[in-house]
Amino acid sequence: MRGPKKETAGYVAALALCFAIAVAAGWTTFGVQIDNDAYDFMFRLRPPEAPAFQSAILAIDERTLRQMGGLRNIRAIVAEGLAAVNAARPRAVVVDVLLADDPDPRGDAPLEAVFAQTPNLVLASGLDAEGWEDPLPRFLRPGVAIGHVHAEPDPFDNVTRRIPLEKAAGRERRWALALEAYRVALGGSQITESPQGLELGGAFIPAPRGDSETRPLLIRYFHRAEGAASSIPQVSVAELREDAARAGAFRDKVVFVGVTAQSADDRHMTPYSAGQPMPGVEIHATAFETMAQGRFLRPVSDSTTLLVCLALAAAAGFIFAFQAGWRAYVLGAALLLAAHLAPLALFRWDLVLPYAAPVATAWLSLAGAATYQHFVVRRLLRKSESARTRYQQAIHFVTHEMRTPLTAIQGSSELMGRYKLTENKSRQLAQTINAESRRLARMIQTFLDVERLSQGEMELKREAFAAAKIVEACLERVRPLADRKRIEMQVDGITDSELLGDRELMEYAVYNLLNNAVKYSPPDTRITVSARRDGERLRLSVQDQGIGMDESELRSIFKKFYRTKRAEASGEAGTGIGLSIVDQIVTHHGGRIEVTSKPGAGSCFTVILPVTVSAAAPRAEVR
Ligand code: ADP
């Protein structure tokens, strides 16, 4: 669409509105839920290949609890299990069991003893209303790290997609259990913080601090079919007791010790769960693997998402602006497909693009653009069609008008050629031919002038002339018409003001007003012409007692080719072009026209023009 400025601005505004609505929709609960579902779907669509796992899980499962006296006995269970694990020389041990309170001191001594033999130990701390619940001091020898055990289930659907790498209570801050595990596994290197993420042991973890200040890390879950090789190896304490050789699974591994039994209620939904939640300890182990394998998922920043949406809206706009018909629809469909597939494609590159906002932007913008173009194009078409028919009518009329002088010329010349005429008669006919051909020439000239004037091509002449002179000349020209209808022409005070501009065009304008007054008045009425000075201005008015116009008609009479129903019914010929030309002429002379009229009670057209005495120059610039 290379349409007028107004249309382009409307189009851009409509697209901007679609863009804003779509982006806002992406931020609603509904939009976020769609993003989440899409994220989970992409996870399931392309399960990552199982890596060489660097961790293993020592599980306290249902059977272990049954055999070893239940959760009451948990410290003894951990102690026994770890003793077996230690024999296999693990790289580090992470105990996802809170050891803060002291329910049964008898169990603590053996645990303390095993901990003393455990290399690279990480213990768990949880946050409650009073602050951090750290392990009892007896378990904390130098070199033992503490990590927090909190996951960050999504507030909308309770699925754990990320863990906060950092969590603070007051001034005390804890790194996540998985991060501490990664740190000690690297040999206890220092963590360096930056707004974009954390650096340790030469590796960078993309976890921007953001507004929440928790540095959320998206967990790369591995497809978890029960017992399949693609999940982190698990051995339960009960299994270890039955077969000590199974401790081999822990050799050189970062061992996560935790309760997997359903009854312990430490299970969370994951993108893979489909109704089967994952034990907390496995989630920590998976978060550790995400870091250890360096397979991070990076959420695309909000500003990038906005840019993507903006690009989609712009593309939709361009498609429907520069293409039409099936081409536009095919391109639109391609754009939709691209918007739907972009998150999938980016997910392959480990980038997470929200789904709702871009897809909503593509749909809304395309629908908006298509609708807008549909209506605008239709309106333009209607406009140009009615302009064309009116133009045709005008041409028809003009040619008809030209026929009158042509017929006179033809007839006179024929008479002269065919008959031997008296000298007197010949002179008379020659005069007629001369006068009529001049009239024809004037008519053509006026139409051409006006056409060029309306296209802004013509320079206005700038000559001084007396207003009274043109009024007089025009009155002279319409008098025969007025006489035929017995219309009285009354002149009511004419000043001798001088105007500056194009005399011929001005005469054309005044003549038109007078001619209309005569045309649209019944016989035996009166037309009053007056020209008064009003300060620096001349007010030239033509008042009739004719058919008049109502308010809505008044608003349209200066449009090209417009005629009122009353005028058509009057039987007077017309093109509806005259007043539009008058208006242009007057405007080009720095003036304006006022009209008052009532149906059946006559009209008064007043032309207000600057006079030269005040040196007011006519405006001849291009409109
Ligand atoms: P037209 O060739 O139809 O006279 P104009 O542009 O001169 O075209 O006028 C436009 C229309 O304005 C006319 O068709 C008529 O309906 C209305 N009009 C103009 N002058 C008068 C008048 N003095 N009284 C009533 N109607 C008028």
Side-chain angles (χ1 to χ4, degrees):
M1 180 188 67
R2 279 167 220 276
K5 268 195 195 132
K6 206 174 88 194
E7 247 104 48
T8 311
Y11 187 52
V12 171
L15 281 170
L17 186 70
C18 292
F19 164 75
I21 292 175
V23 168
W27 280 328
T28 59
T29 326
F30 186 57
V32 171
Q33 190 56 61
I34 291 176
D35 290 344
N36 283 341
D37 289 344
Y39 180 78
D40 297 350
F41 173 76
M42 292 188 287
F43 246 111
R44 289 193 291 268
L45 201 64
R46 288 190 60 248
E49 273 161 39
F53 289 109
Q54 297 187 28
S55 62
I57 294 170
L58 176 63
I60 299 167
D61 61 358
E62 215 70 65
R63 197 150 66 92
T64 308
L65 288 179
R66 242 190 345 262
Q67 286 177 11
M68 300 181 73
L71 277 175
R72 273 183 305 115
N73 236 0
I74 182 121
R75 291 184 190 184
I77 299 174
V78 173
E80 190 179 332
L82 263 192
V85 167
N86 279 346
R89 301 193 171 281
R91 185 135 63 106
V93 170
V94 184
V95 181
D96 180 23
V97 175
L98 290 179
L99 301 168
D101 47 2
D102 202 2
D104 180 11
R106 275 175 304 162
D108 290 353
L111 190 59
E112 191 184 340
V114 173
F115 278 171
Q117 306 295 316
T118 307
N120 296 334
L121 181 62
V122 182
L123 296 182
S125 176
L127 197 58
D128 71 3
E130 277 142 47
W132 290 109
E133 276 189 290
D134 283 343
L136 294 175
R138 66 186 299 176
F139 300 127
L140 292 174
R141 49 186 176 81
V144 172
I146 303 178
H148 80 75
V149 292
H150 295 277
E152 200 172 66
D154 192 287
F156 297 117
D157 58 10
N158 220 22
V159 173
T160 302
R161 296 183 181 85
R162 58 192 91 219
I163 54 160
L165 286 186
E166 181 182 330
K167 205 158 174 78
R171 307 250 299 289
E172 259 189 293
R173 187 177 66 163
R174 300 272 180 276
W175 296 117
L177 204 60
L179 179 60
E180 284 292 355
Y182 183 48
R183 190 176 66 80
V184 298
L186 283 177
S189 41
Q190 202 63 34
I191 296 178
T192 319
E193 302 178 52
S194 75
Q196 280 73 40
L198 305 173
E199 211 182 302
L200 73 164
F204 182 73
I205 304 172
R209 186 141 213 197
D211 302 332
S212 60
E213 304 214 337
T214 59
R215 295 191 185 275
L217 174 80
L218 285 168
I219 305 172
R220 164 85 64 173
Y221 286 100
F222 303 99
H223 187 54
R224 187 168 159 272
E226 207 59 56
S230 60
S231 56
I232 296 173
Q234 277 193 29
V235 179
S236 75
V237 178
E239 284 169 330
L240 265 188
R241 288 175 103 195
E242 285 158 14
D243 180 3
R246 301 213 48 179
F250 298 113
R251 182 171 308 283
D252 236 12
K253 293 278 154 66
V254 174
V255 181
F256 283 78
V257 186
V259 182
T260 62
Q262 233 160 24
S263 53
D265 208 26
D266 180 22
R267 289 174 160 246
H268 307 270
M269 305 297 282
T270 72
Y272 278 128
S273 303
Q276 201 196 11
M278 185 184 262
V281 63
E282 193 175 346
I283 292 180
H284 291 306
T286 312
F288 162 79
E289 290 288 352
T290 306
M291 289 181 268
Q293 309 285 342
R295 295 214 48 191
F296 299 104
L297 286 159
R298 293 176 180 80
V300 164
S301 71
D302 283 351
S303 50
T304 309
T305 309
L306 272 184
L307 273 182
V308 169
C309 292
L310 201 64
L312 285 168
F318 279 123
I319 287 175
F320 278 91
F322 295 110
Q323 297 290 341
W326 65 268
R327 259 177 229 273
Y329 288 101
V330 167
L331 284 174
L335 187 73
L336 268 186
L337 199 68
H340 281 271
L341 293 185
L344 276 174
L346 288 176
F347 201 79
R348 284 178 171 251
W349 297 82
D350 295 337
L351 285 171
V352 182
L353 178 72
Y355 198 76
V359 166
T361 307
W363 277 102
L364 262 184
S365 308
L366 283 169
T371 314
Y372 193 93
Q373 292 298 2
H374 180 73
F375 284 115
V376 164
V377 166
R378 263 196 13 195
R379 205 178 63 214
L380 287 180
L381 214 68
R382 259 206 315 268
K383 246 192 196 165
S384 77
E385 257 172 17
S386 68
R388 203 171 51 221
T389 47
R390 282 183 301 183
Y391 193 75
Q392 277 169 350
Q393 283 170 359
I395 293 289
H396 193 78
F397 176 77
V398 169
T399 43
H400 186 261
E401 286 282 279
M402 286 180 172
R403 214 176 282 157
T404 321
L406 273 178
T407 317
I409 292 169
Q410 260 173 3
S412 306
S413 53
E414 243 177 60
L415 282 178
M416 288 173 82
R418 199 174 290 175
Y419 305 106
K420 202 160 165 33
L421 302 168
T422 62
E423 196 174 321
N424 212 6
K425 189 73 188 164
S426 294
R427 198 179 312 121
Q428 203 186 341
L429 288 177
Q431 262 169 8
T432 307
I433 291 173
N434 190 274
E436 292 298 322
S437 53
R438 273 169 188 278
R439 190 160 89 133
L440 202 56
R442 235 192 353 258
M443 228 155 98
I444 291 168
Q445 190 56 45
T446 309
F447 270 99
L448 286 181
D449 284 356
V450 163
E451 204 43 42
R452 293 214 312 264
L453 194 67
S454 67
Q455 284 169 12
E457 273 178 19
M458 199 172 76
E459 283 273 310
L460 270 189
K461 270 190 224 148
R462 297 188 69 191
E463 57 193 7
F465 55 90
K469 280 263 159 53
I470 5 176
V471 175
E472 218 170 89
C474 292
L475 281 171
E476 219 41 59
R477 277 172 66 192
V478 288
R479 185 144 288 135
L481 290 173
D483 286 348
R484 227 177 288 159
K485 287 169 96 172
R486 296 179 304 282
I487 291 174
E488 186 191 335
M489 307 277 280
Q490 188 178 326
V491 179
D492 183 10
I494 298 282
T495 64
D496 55 355
S497 302
E498 289 246 305
L499 299 169
L500 193 64
D502 193 314
R503 188 200 144 115
E504 250 173 70
L505 286 178
M506 195 48 78
E507 192 177 316
Y508 176 91
V510 176
Y511 173 74
N512 243 278
L513 295 180
L514 275 170
N515 191 34
N516 277 350
V518 173
K519 265 188 348 191
Y520 302 120
S521 292
D524 300 312
T525 50
R526 185 190 310 135
I527 292 171
T528 313
V529 183
S530 78
R532 285 189 295 108
R533 267 294 282 279
D534 180 8
E536 315 272 271
R537 325 227 126 214
L538 173 75
R539 296 177 65 91
L540 199 160
S541 61
V542 178
Q543 178 149 29
D544 62 42
Q545 299 173 328
I547 56 175
M549 291 159 281
D550 65 25
E551 296 238 333
S552 76
E553 289 169 338
L554 269 183
R555 276 196 288 277
S556 300
I557 50 171
F558 292 106
K559 288 184 190 153
K560 256 189 203 165
F561 309 125
Y562 174 84
R563 302 197 74 205
T564 65
K565 292 231 166 53
R566 245 180 291 274
E568 303 249 291
S570 71
E572 291 287 352
T575 52
I577 203 173
L579 279 184
S580 83
I581 294 168
V582 172
D583 184 40
Q584 282 182 50
I585 293 173
V586 171
T587 315
H588 276 76
H589 280 82
R592 65 194 161 86
I593 307 176
E594 281 174 4
V595 194
T596 53
S597 183
K598 271 216 171 76
S603 317
C604 180
F605 284 75
T606 307
V607 177
I608 300 158
L609 289 163
V611 293
T612 49
V613 188
S614 65
R619 284 194 289 132
E621 78 268 25
V622 173
R623 249 214 305 197

